[in-house]
Amino acid sequence: MEEIKIDKEISYLIGVLHSDGSIYKFNNKKRKRIETRLELRIGERSIEMGLKFKEILKKEIGRDVNLRKIPNTNMYSLKTSINRMKELFEKWNKESVINDMSKENFCAYLAGQIDGDGHIKIKHNKDRIIGQCMIRITNKTSLVELRKAIEKFTVSKVHFVKYKKAIAVDTCFYVSKKNIEFLEKNVIPNISITHKKNRLIEYIKKRRACEDLNPNLKVSPERASEAPYSIQVKLQA
């Protein structure tokens, strides 16, 4: 198959693939062959992301696939065979693929990761007029390449949070003066899930309003990011 160029659309698709997607082998007994399949499995609150993933598959890959509700659950699934594109998708499924992405493409990729496994956490700091906003991306392992790319393009300090009683690691960074404009112009427009996008937009609006009233407003999070790892006892919702 002809190589498909990685653009913004494909970069977003890869971000979602790295978060909520999976590639697996399937024994097709009817056709008597082993197939390589792509699956995206999501909850109800992620349908907007699933529909965008579906549109990109159709537009960029030429696959028109339905997003179906899984019976007796609140989950939805999109499945398709990728036998002819197996090598391409296996290449895209490696975290190292982001190393060669342009800034524009990485921003779309990061939006896909935020839509998939991202959480916008607003802290209620007692010593601050406005709490800090942390973007957390949860995975089974430390996303080292993602950390490098975030620090490269956003000039943000990134740290990992490991959980003792869960097989999960959060890749975390704060919304700060160093990256707020970058996120606003480059990442947020690519986020598909409305409640995540709006949470970031509202935080930035509130923060800017407070800063206009008080130029010396304390919201700097630098101290929290000095250590590359921290430990928490349980996985937060």
Side-chain angles (χ1 to χ4, degrees), residues 6 18 94-103 106 109 144-149 152-153:
I6 295 180
H18 286 184
K94 296 178 181 177
E95 191 191 0
S96 59
V97 72
I98 68 178
N99 294 337
D100 297 323
M101 285 184 178
S102 65
K103 181 179 80 171
F106 174 72
Y109 170 85
V144 177
E145 301 303 326
L146 178 61
R147 176 187 178 181
K148 290 178 183 176
K152 173 185 174 183
F153 289 116

Coordinates of all heavy atoms in Angstrom, one line a residue, residues 6 18 94-103 106 109 144-149 152-153:
I6 N 1.7 11.7 7.1 CA 1.1 12.1 8.4 C 0.9 13.6 8.4 O 1.8 14.4 8.4 CB 2.1 11.7 9.5 CG1 2.3 10.2 9.6 CG2 1.6 12.3 10.9 CD1 3.2 9.7 10.7
H18 N -3.3 5.7 20.2 CA -2.4 5.5 21.3 C -3.1 5.5 22.7 O -2.6 5.0 23.7 CB -1.3 6.5 21.3 CG -0.3 6.3 20.3 ND1 0.9 7.1 20.2 CD2 -0.2 5.4 19.3 CE1 1.6 6.7 19.1 NE2 0.9 5.6 18.6
K94 N 3.5 2.9 17.4 CA 4.6 3.0 18.3 C 4.7 4.5 18.7 O 4.6 5.4 17.9 CB 5.9 2.6 17.5 CG 5.9 1.2 17.1 CD 7.2 0.9 16.4 CE 7.2 -0.6 16.0 NZ 8.4 -0.9 15.1
E95 N 5.0 4.7 20.0 CA 5.1 6.0 20.6 C 6.2 6.9 19.9 O 6.0 8.1 19.8 CB 5.4 6.0 22.1 CG 5.2 7.3 22.8 CD 5.7 7.4 24.2 OE1 6.2 6.3 24.7 OE2 5.6 8.5 24.8
S96 N 7.2 6.2 19.4 CA 8.3 6.9 18.7 C 7.9 7.7 17.5 O 8.6 8.5 17.0 CB 9.4 6.0 18.4 OG 9.0 4.9 17.6
V97 N 6.7 7.4 16.9 CA 6.2 8.0 15.7 C 6.1 9.5 15.9 O 6.2 10.3 15.0 CB 4.9 7.5 15.2 CG1 3.7 7.9 16.2 CG2 4.6 7.9 13.8
I98 N 5.9 10.0 17.2 CA 5.8 11.4 17.4 C 7.1 12.2 17.3 O 7.1 13.4 17.2 CB 5.1 11.7 18.8 CG1 6.0 11.3 19.9 CG2 3.7 11.0 18.9 CD1 5.4 11.6 21.3
N99 N 8.2 11.5 17.3 CA 9.5 12.2 17.3 C 9.7 13.0 16.1 O 10.5 14.0 16.1 CB 10.6 11.2 17.5 CG 10.6 10.5 18.9 OD1 10.1 11.0 19.8 ND2 11.2 9.3 19.0
D100 N 9.1 12.6 15.0 CA 9.3 13.3 13.7 C 8.2 14.2 13.3 O 8.1 14.7 12.2 CB 9.5 12.2 12.6 CG 10.8 11.4 12.8 OD1 11.8 11.9 13.2 OD2 10.8 10.2 12.5
M101 N 7.2 14.4 14.2 CA 6.1 15.2 13.9 C 6.5 16.7 14.0 O 7.2 17.1 14.8 CB 4.9 14.9 14.9 CG 4.2 13.7 14.7 SD 2.8 13.5 15.8 CE 2.1 11.9 15.2
S102 N 5.9 17.5 13.1 CA 6.0 18.9 13.2 C 5.2 19.4 14.4 O 4.4 18.7 15.0 CB 5.5 19.6 11.9 OG 4.1 19.3 11.8
K103 N 5.4 20.7 14.7 CA 4.6 21.3 15.8 C 3.1 21.2 15.6 O 2.3 20.8 16.5 CB 5.0 22.7 16.0 CG 4.3 23.4 17.2 CD 4.7 24.9 17.4 CE 4.0 25.8 16.4 NZ 4.3 27.2 16.7
F106 N 2.0 17.6 16.0 CA 2.0 17.1 17.4 C 0.9 17.7 18.2 O 0.3 17.0 19.0 CB 3.4 17.5 18.0 CG 3.4 17.2 19.5 CD1 3.4 15.9 19.9 CD2 3.2 18.2 20.4 CE1 3.4 15.5 21.3 CE2 3.2 17.9 21.8 CZ 3.3 16.6 22.2
Y109 N -2.0 15.6 17.5 CA -1.8 14.3 18.3 C -2.1 14.5 19.7 O -2.7 13.6 20.3 CB -0.3 13.9 18.1 CG 0.1 12.7 19.0 CD1 -0.1 11.4 18.6 CD2 0.7 12.9 20.2 CE1 0.2 10.3 19.4 CE2 1.1 11.9 21.0 CZ 0.8 10.6 20.6 OH 1.2 9.5 21.4
V144 N 7.3 8.4 27.9 CA 8.6 9.2 27.9 C 8.7 10.1 26.6 O 9.1 11.2 26.7 CB 9.8 8.2 27.9 CG1 11.1 9.0 27.8 CG2 9.7 7.4 29.2
E145 N 8.3 9.5 25.5 CA 8.4 10.3 24.2 C 7.4 11.4 24.2 O 7.7 12.5 23.7 CB 8.2 9.4 23.0 CG 9.2 8.3 22.9 CD 10.7 8.7 22.8 OE1 10.9 9.8 22.3 OE2 11.5 8.0 23.4
L146 N 6.3 11.2 24.8 CA 5.3 12.3 24.9 C 5.8 13.4 25.8 O 5.6 14.6 25.5 CB 3.9 11.7 25.4 CG 2.8 12.7 25.7 CD1 2.4 13.4 24.3 CD2 1.6 12.0 26.3
R147 N 6.4 13.0 26.9 CA 7.0 14.0 27.8 C 8.0 14.9 27.1 O 8.0 16.1 27.2 CB 7.6 13.3 29.0 CG 8.3 14.2 30.0 CD 9.1 13.5 31.0 NE 9.8 14.4 31.9 CZ 10.6 14.1 32.9 NH1 10.7 12.8 33.2 NH2 11.1 15.0 33.6
K148 N 8.9 14.2 26.3 CA 9.9 15.0 25.6 C 9.3 16.0 24.6 O 9.7 17.1 24.5 CB 10.8 14.0 24.9 CG 11.7 13.2 25.7 CD 12.5 12.2 24.9 CE 13.4 11.3 25.7 NZ 14.1 10.3 24.8
A149 N 8.2 15.5 23.9 CA 7.6 16.4 22.9 C 6.9 17.5 23.5 O 6.9 18.6 23.0 CB 6.7 15.5 22.0
K152 N 9.4 20.0 24.6 CA 10.0 20.6 23.5 C 9.1 21.7 22.9 O 9.5 22.8 22.6 CB 10.3 19.6 22.4 CG 10.8 20.1 21.1 CD 10.9 19.0 20.1 CE 11.3 19.5 18.7 NZ 11.4 18.4 17.7
F153 N 7.8 21.4 22.7 CA 6.9 22.3 21.9 C 6.2 23.3 22.8 O 5.9 24.4 22.4 CB 5.9 21.5 21.2 CG 6.4 20.8 20.0 CD1 6.4 19.4 19.9 CD2 7.0 21.5 18.9 CE1 6.9 18.7 18.8 CE2 7.5 20.8 17.8 CZ 7.5 19.5 17.7

